[in-house]
């Protein structure tokens, strides 16, 4: 997270570090609701694949890994929101907290990147599995190409996120 130039910061209103206006606990509520739904869906998928169809695969391992990164992302955003002021205006965040907020933001970007990459590859692998072993060679290669593209673009996004600071 890069701070704006000093000229822009000079135009900000007077900071209110004691009792600033916030967005409340909306981020935590949405995080809990969405992560609970995602957890239930993944558990139902795993139950179906392990207990009903007995056909678990690489896509199931990948979706669990994606869920782990998603949970880590939710934890980071919840901590940043509740304890470090990410639910208020930037000028109401104490200068002593800005380095921590910036680190949490970077951690969020990396967790988001990893969660989305792994989840997308899992879904592509699942679609590839659905095709079966028939005469779908072109589609199989298209899915493999899409997985490589998603993986490479995600890795590039992660590298850019890490080295965005000067």
């Amino acid at each position: 997270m890069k701070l704006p130039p000093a000229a822009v910061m000079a135009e900000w209103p007077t900071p209110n570090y004691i009792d600033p206006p916030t967005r409340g606990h909306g981020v935590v509520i949405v995080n809990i609701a969405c992560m609970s739904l995602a957890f239930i869906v993944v558990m139902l998928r795993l139950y179906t694949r392990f207990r009903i169809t007995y056909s678990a695969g690489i896509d199931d391992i990948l979706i669990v890994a994606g869920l782990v990164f998603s949970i880590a992302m939710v934890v980071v955003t919840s901590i940043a929101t509740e304890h470090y002021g990410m639910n208020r205006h930037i000028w109401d965040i104490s200068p002593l907290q800005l380095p921590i907020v910036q680190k949490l933001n970077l951690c969020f970007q990396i967790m988001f990147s990893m969660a989305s990459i792994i989840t997308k590859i899992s879904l592509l692998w699942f679609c590839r599995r659905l095709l079966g072993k028939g005469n779908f060679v072109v589609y199989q290669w298209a899915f493999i190409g899409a997985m490589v593209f998603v993986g490479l673009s995600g890795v590039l996004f992660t590298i850019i996120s890490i080295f965005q600071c000067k």
Side-chain angles (χ1 to χ4, degrees), residues 17-162:
Y17 300 136
I18 298 166
D19 187 28
T22 66
R23 293 189 191 129
H25 304 290
V27 171
V28 174
I29 293 167
V30 170
N31 278 347
I32 291 171
C34 290
M35 195 47 49
S36 298
L37 182 64
F39 185 79
I40 289 168
V41 168
V42 170
M43 290 304 115
L44 287 172
R45 173 183 171 167
L46 293 176
Y47 175 78
T48 302
R49 298 292 294 273
F50 282 100
R51 294 289 187 182
I52 296 175
T53 63
Y54 300 104
S55 63
I58 294 173
D59 51 328
D60 298 312
I61 295 168
L62 290 171
I63 203 68
V64 170
L67 182 66
V68 168
F69 279 107
S70 296
I71 291 170
M73 180 182 68
V74 162
V75 168
V76 167
T77 56
S78 296
I79 289 171
T81 302
E82 292 299 311
H83 299 291
Y84 294 102
M86 290 281 288
N87 61 348
R88 62 179 77 161
H89 296 291
I90 184 119
W91 53 79
D92 289 335
I93 298 175
S94 166
L96 297 175
Q97 287 183 324
L98 276 176
I100 297 169
V101 169
Q102 291 172 326
K103 290 173 187 173
L104 288 170
N105 186 26
L106 178 62
C107 187
F108 163 77
Q109 290 177 16
I110 294 169
M111 293 299 126
F112 173 79
S113 178
M114 297 307 294
S116 62
I117 292 167
I118 294 171
T119 302
K120 288 175 188 177
I121 291 174
S122 172
L123 293 173
L124 286 167
W125 196 279
F126 176 71
C127 291
R128 183 177 173 265
R129 246 172 68 123
L130 286 178
L131 287 177
K133 302 281 187 208
N135 287 331
F136 302 110
V137 177
V138 174
Y139 292 116
Q140 295 281 352
W141 282 106
F143 280 120
I144 291 170
M147 285 185 253
V148 169
F149 177 76
V150 166
L152 289 176
S153 63
V155 168
L156 287 174
F157 177 78
T158 304
I159 290 170
I160 290 170
S161 294
I162 292 170

